[in-house]
Amino acid sequence: MPPTKTNRRGGGSREQNPATLCVHAGAHPDPLTGAVMAPVYFTSTYAQEAPGKHKGYEYSRTKNPTRDRLEQALAALEGAKEAAAFASGLAAEDAVFRLLRPGDHIVVCRDLYGGTFRLMRRVWENYGLKFQFVDTTNTKTALAAITPKTRMLWIETPSNPLLSITDIAAVTEGAKKRVPNILVCVDNTFATPILQKPLKHGADIVIHSTTKYIGGHSDIIGGAVMTARPEISQEIRFLQNAAGAVPGPMDCFLVLRGIKTLALRMNKHCANAAAVAQCLSRHNNVRRVDYPGLPAHPNHLIANKQMSGFGGMVSFDIQGDARRAQRFFAALKLITVGESLGGVESLACYPWVMTHASIPEEQRRKAGVTETLIRLSVGIEDPDDLIEDLEQALRASR
């Protein structure tokens, strides 16, 4: 992955690699005590010398020193001018939709997280936004859907749960030729800024659920919006404060702590997921494996071009029917059945009744989400143990 230019204390600018950024981005000794780790500022308000005369902090919904550190770290990692932290990934998405106006048309990738679909269809369509779901992995199909009223192109890549890959640079360039003021928003949760930087491929906005890989330990809920455009950042900052969906200081601290090991963890997630995907792709009880690192994946070449690794998520279709899928989940011993992803522990999810149940059945099937689809968040355990658990569960499912 290409290094990122940052300013170092006591020197000029130089190129820093992601592992270094993870440790040092947003980190500087506390000016009061010299504390190496960012203090957790448990306060709602701040003393003022006189009305309106303060040290940059008035009220913690607006600004909090711990949250400032997190936002600095996230911006540095993603190569953004600024980042804004939110109380959840969906809160971050909600803030982005508030940039739009009734009647605006949004082109959306067909394969996406069920909670995002629910927010679009059951919340924002009530306020006049119009969403059109298309296969954005086909650049021509994505661009054909764009009209003069299209205000935003929304992409997940890799997507949830099928690990589809959209060519960010190609769709962004084409979209902006058709509608110069269109906003391209990329959900980068699955890849993380360690593996992919959408802003470098022309995107305007990047969204993360920091609950997942960035936090990395399944112990917080959070989200973030990053952009390189000052006018967008100004609007997002206003919405962050005005709507108030901000994270607490302890959650910010925990995400900051998770970032320290993000590069290390992503290397292990990628290696383990590749081993699991290769094993599953050879298994007689598996119909299909979705993993962009496999040469057989339809978007493998695009993933190889725009990512520095293929991530820790693997999805596969088990042979048989829904009953067999249920028996597989029941037989797992090491891998936990649960929602969410991106933690150090491996999780198995059944999108049909879990993460994507809010999407109508017909649309689920059209996107490729079926009763036999299983999504794995591959953790950092020993890969041999994970493979052994998967193989015994597949045997038991028969």
Side-chain angles (χ1 to χ4, degrees):
M1 178 176 176
T4 303
K5 182 176 286 187
T6 61
N7 288 319
R8 301 183 74 196
R9 294 189 296 275
S13 63
R14 70 175 294 276
E15 298 293 321
Q16 286 188 348
N17 288 299
T20 303
L21 272 179
C22 285
V23 175
H24 292 287
H28 48 81
D30 178 57
L32 180 63
T33 65
V36 172
M37 296 301 294
V40 186
Y41 284 86
F42 287 116
T43 184
S44 60
T45 192
Y46 304 82
Q48 302 189 19
E49 296 178 34
K53 187 179 180 181
H54 51 75
K55 298 178 180 179
Y57 297 93
E58 303 169 82
Y59 189 59
S60 275
R61 185 188 70 244
T62 307
K63 281 189 74 178
N64 176 280
T66 314
R67 191 169 84 228
D68 281 356
R69 296 282 196 97
L70 172 60
E71 291 172 343
Q72 291 163 16
L74 290 169
L77 285 171
E78 197 63 73
K81 294 291 185 184
E82 283 200 49
F86 287 86
S88 70
L90 284 171
E93 293 181 357
D94 185 74
V96 171
F97 292 135
R98 291 172 189 267
L99 300 173
L100 305 175
R101 297 293 179 266
D104 284 347
H105 176 247
I106 303 97
V107 174
V108 185
C109 58
R110 184 176 64 185
D111 174 24
L112 80 167
Y113 169 50
T116 303
F117 178 91
R118 180 177 57 223
L119 179 64
M120 291 174 172
R121 276 286 167 88
R122 298 185 61 182
V123 177
W124 279 106
E125 280 193 351
N126 294 332
Y127 293 92
L129 298 186
K130 301 180 186 301
F131 299 94
Q132 182 178 352
F133 299 86
V134 302
D135 179 9
T136 58
T137 66
N138 185 318
T139 300
K140 290 183 179 179
T141 300
L143 297 180
I146 294 173
T147 74
K149 288 189 175 182
T150 305
R151 180 75 174 106
M152 181 175 286
L153 175 61
W154 186 281
I155 302 164
E156 276 185 23
T157 183
S159 67
N160 185 358
L162 295 174
L163 290 308
S164 302
I165 304 295
T166 296
D167 189 329
I168 301 170
V171 297
T172 298
E173 181 182 2
K176 290 184 179 292
K177 283 181 180 178
R178 285 164 168 76
V179 182
N181 66 340
I182 194 172
L183 295 175
V184 178
C185 182
V186 178
D187 185 332
N188 201 30
T189 298
F190 274 23
T192 82
I194 301 301
L195 305 181
Q196 178 174 269
K197 292 185 184 292
L199 297 178
K200 289 191 173 183
H201 296 287
D204 301 290
I205 299 170
V206 175
I207 285 187
H208 282 278
S209 170
T210 56
T211 309
K212 312 304 193 298
Y213 287 107
I214 291 179
H217 293 79
S218 303
D219 54 8
I220 65 100
I221 300 291
V225 178
M226 280 75 82
T227 182
R229 293 177 54 181
E231 71 277 14
I232 297 175
S233 177
Q234 186 175 358
E235 288 190 68
I236 291 293
R237 284 289 185 198
F238 169 79
L239 292 165
Q240 183 192 40
N241 181 52
V246 295
M250 191 64 193
D251 283 341
C252 292
F253 172 81
L254 289 171
V255 177
L256 269 170
R257 187 175 67 172
I259 287 173
K260 301 291 186 186
T261 60
L262 178 60
L264 287 172
R265 288 186 285 106
M266 291 311 298
N267 285 338
K268 182 62 171 171
H269 284 300
C270 289
N272 280 3
V276 165
Q278 289 165 9
C279 172
L280 291 173
S281 68
R282 298 189 296 264
H283 207 287
N284 292 333
N285 295 325
V286 173
R287 183 181 295 115
R288 188 191 79 246
V289 178
D290 298 312
Y291 183 65
L294 293 175
H297 189 283
N299 312 128
H300 173 71
L301 294 179
I302 296 171
N304 197 48
K305 178 185 72 172
Q306 71 185 20
M307 301 174 71
S308 62
F310 300 109
M313 301 298 297
V314 178
S315 292
F316 67 96
D317 252 327
I318 193 171
Q319 294 280 10
D321 55 18
R323 290 173 297 178
R324 183 163 186 185
Q326 294 286 0
R327 290 196 295 269
F328 169 84
F329 284 106
L332 290 171
K333 297 177 180 178
L334 176 64
I335 299 171
T336 302
V337 179
E339 299 257 2
S340 199
L341 58 102
V344 292
E345 70 289 324
S346 293
L347 295 175
C349 172
Y350 192 30
W352 185 258
V353 299
M354 294 169 71
T355 53
H356 290 68
S358 59
I359 300 176
E361 180 176 328
E362 181 181 352
Q363 191 157 346
R364 267 180 282 168
R365 292 190 187 281
K366 187 176 180 181
V369 180
T370 66
E371 298 100 322
T372 54
L373 181 71
I374 295 166
R375 191 193 74 184
L376 299 175
S377 174
V378 183
I380 64 170
E381 305 95 336
D382 188 287
D384 291 341
D385 294 329
L386 296 175
I387 290 170
E388 181 180 347
D389 194 33
L390 290 168
E391 288 182 337
Q392 68 81 23
L394 285 166
R395 288 194 300 271
S397 70
R398 291 181 296 188

